[in-house]
């Protein structure tokens, strides 16, 4: 691991944070707390409007149009569980679940 320091201390701090193993979990926790705070504040109407924003993907004549909430529920949750499956496979093949000890 190189310890290059740039002239930008903010970039260095972000780079160091992203190298932490727990960085993804910390970002997920921050996002959840922010979403809960906004959903229970006077900004809840804007939050609901954001979740109901239509998002469309089009390939020729095929159009998939859903609200943002459904894209999150369907698409991102599928990616999440795919990554969890890959992590479990890695643990079974090489990690702590590879033996009965």
């Amino acid at each position: 691991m190189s310890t290059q320091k740039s002239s930008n201390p903010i970039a260095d701090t972000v780079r160091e944070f992203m190298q932490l193993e727990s960085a993804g979990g910390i970002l997920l926790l921050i996002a959840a707390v922010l979403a809960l705070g906004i959903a229970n504040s006077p900004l809840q109407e804007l939050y609901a409007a954001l979740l109901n924003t239509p998002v469309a993907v089009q390939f020729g004549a095929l159009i998939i149009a859903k609200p943002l909430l459904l894209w999150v529920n369907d698409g991102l949750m599928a990616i999440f569980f795919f990554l969890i499956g890959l992590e479990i496979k890695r643990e079974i093949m090489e990690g702590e679940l590879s033996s009965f000890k």
Side-chain angles (χ1 to χ4, degrees), residues 28 72 74-87:
L28 185 60
V72 170
D74 295 346
L76 294 180
M77 291 302 286
I79 292 169
F80 170 76
F81 285 112
F82 175 71
L83 292 174
I84 294 298
L86 289 176
E87 183 67 23

Side-chain angles (χ1 to χ4, degrees), residues 50-90:
L50 173 68
L51 292 178
N52 290 322
T53 302
V55 177
V57 175
Q58 181 175 358
F59 296 101
L62 175 67
I63 300 173
I64 302 173
K66 298 179 177 184
L68 181 61
L69 178 64
L70 292 179
W71 282 106
V72 170
N73 287 344
D74 295 346
L76 294 180
M77 291 302 286
I79 292 169
F80 170 76
F81 285 112
F82 175 71
L83 292 174
I84 294 298
L86 289 176
E87 183 67 23
I88 291 171
K89 179 182 176 183
R90 186 187 68 77

Side-chain angles (χ1 to χ4, degrees), residues 32-44:
V33 168
L34 280 173
L36 283 170
I38 292 171
N40 291 299
S41 74
L43 297 173
Q44 69 185 19

Side-chain angles (χ1 to χ4, degrees), residues 5-67:
K5 294 288 182 181
S6 67
S7 61
N8 188 345
I10 295 173
D12 292 338
T13 303
V14 170
R15 190 175 299 109
E16 289 174 16
F17 173 75
M18 294 309 287
Q19 290 176 350
L20 292 175
E21 190 171 318
S22 59
I26 292 169
L27 290 176
L28 185 60
L29 182 63
I30 291 170
V33 168
L34 280 173
L36 283 170
I38 292 171
N40 291 299
S41 74
L43 297 173
Q44 69 185 19
E45 291 177 14
L46 292 173
Y47 186 67
L50 173 68
L51 292 178
N52 290 322
T53 302
V55 177
V57 175
Q58 181 175 358
F59 296 101
L62 175 67
I63 300 173
I64 302 173
K66 298 179 177 184

